[in-house]
Amino acid sequence: MNDTNVSNQVLERLSEEWEALTPEAQKAARYVLENPQDVGISTVREIAEAAKVKPNTFVRMARQVGFDGYDDFREPFREAIRRGAVSFPDRARWLQEIRKSGALGGLYADLVDAAMRNVEETFAGISCESLTAAAEAIWASRDVYTLGVGVNNSNARNFTYLASTGMKQFHAIPQPGSVAVDDLAWAGERDVLIAITCRPFRREVVEAVKQARQQGVTVVGISDSPASPIIRGSDHGFVVAADTPQFFPSSVSTIALLETLLSFVIAVASDEVVGRVETFHKRRHHLGMYEEDPE
């Protein structure tokens, strides 16, 4: 097993043990989950200072997840860094040229760099196996509810709209005039909830995930932190990178992940779904909904 898989298993164990940790240990665990790259390069004193806890807190946390101490806990992360470094010199030169293009060149370069980096970091942390497992759960379900509020409401509705071209029983929530927990009132073990929220986490999404779990609903959580309550409360959790120079979190990687997840759902589905998508678009052409290109 490679060291990246080992370090990911450590992070998963940390999430599983979350409720058993003391409040101080949870602060340490949150820092590790959100900054795993720091683990491999920091001494126990350095990382404790960054997390604003005492060094002994990290030692106790490491022991709770099965290590002798912090140095033992740190080793898989150090090895993952040694083996996983990737550079993009051509992109770097391109971005440097953009910065020289005028007054807004610096902002443009920062936004472009953040968008590409977010997508790279997101998919670097997600395995094909985890996407397949989530897609199979979605395909096997009775109803699928996609939940997002604020900017993620449009992301959730876009996913649902695309899914509806070939599949039935997809619902974007909250519905107009409703609240998410009411929309999930009759959901159960045969259903799936795809929930999306980034920091600061929206309370109505967190509460809907809690309620869905109590009702036996399978939860697919999408957030920008492995310490997010909807990731810790999900059956299939996906962490997206959402850093950006602008005020609001970036949706680029969230949209890319949702598009990929939907593609996986179609890939594991029956041939009938592919036929439905083709029929759906042929019908649109027949009804004259598209402006056809001239011959």
Side-chain angles (χ1 to χ4, degrees), residues 36-199:
Q37 70 282 356
D38 288 359
V39 180
I41 61 174
S42 303
T43 66
V44 67
R45 291 188 179 278
E46 289 170 342
I47 199 167
E49 182 177 352
K52 296 181 172 57
V53 298
K54 295 179 179 179
N56 282 344
T57 302
F58 269 92
V59 175
R60 289 194 297 270
M61 182 201 69
R63 288 173 178 167
Q64 182 153 2
V65 293
F67 292 88
D68 293 334
Y70 179 74
D71 287 342
D72 192 23
F73 174 87
R74 180 177 62 170
E75 187 53 32
F77 296 90
R78 296 184 68 179
E79 189 59 29
I81 290 174
R82 293 188 198 109
R83 296 178 181 274
V86 178
S87 61
F88 299 89
D90 291 340
R91 189 182 76 185
R93 283 194 290 270
W94 175 56
L95 291 173
Q96 287 175 356
E97 290 301 315
I98 292 178
R99 293 182 191 281
K100 301 174 185 176
S101 64
L104 292 177
L107 176 61
Y108 183 26
D110 288 343
L111 288 166
V112 171
D113 184 39
M116 293 191 295
R117 182 163 25 86
N118 284 342
V119 173
E120 290 167 357
E121 291 181 1
T122 295
F123 287 105
I126 295 173
S127 70
C128 179
E129 291 77 13
S130 61
L131 278 167
T132 301
E136 289 175 342
I138 291 170
W139 172 243
S141 67
R142 175 182 57 185
D143 286 298
V144 179
Y145 301 87
T146 311
L147 168 61
V149 296
V151 67
N152 282 314
N153 182 259
S154 60
N155 295 333
R157 293 187 180 280
N158 180 63
F159 176 87
T160 304
Y161 163 74
L162 293 174
S164 69
T165 63
M167 292 170 282
K168 303 176 182 178
Q169 306 307 321
F170 276 69
H171 315 279
I173 62 173
Q175 296 178 5
S178 184
V179 293
V181 289
D182 283 349
D183 294 331
L184 292 168
W186 310 118
E189 295 179 356
R190 297 171 57 194
D191 305 314
V192 169
L193 169 65
I194 302 172
I196 314 166
T197 187
C198 293
R199 291 170 291 188

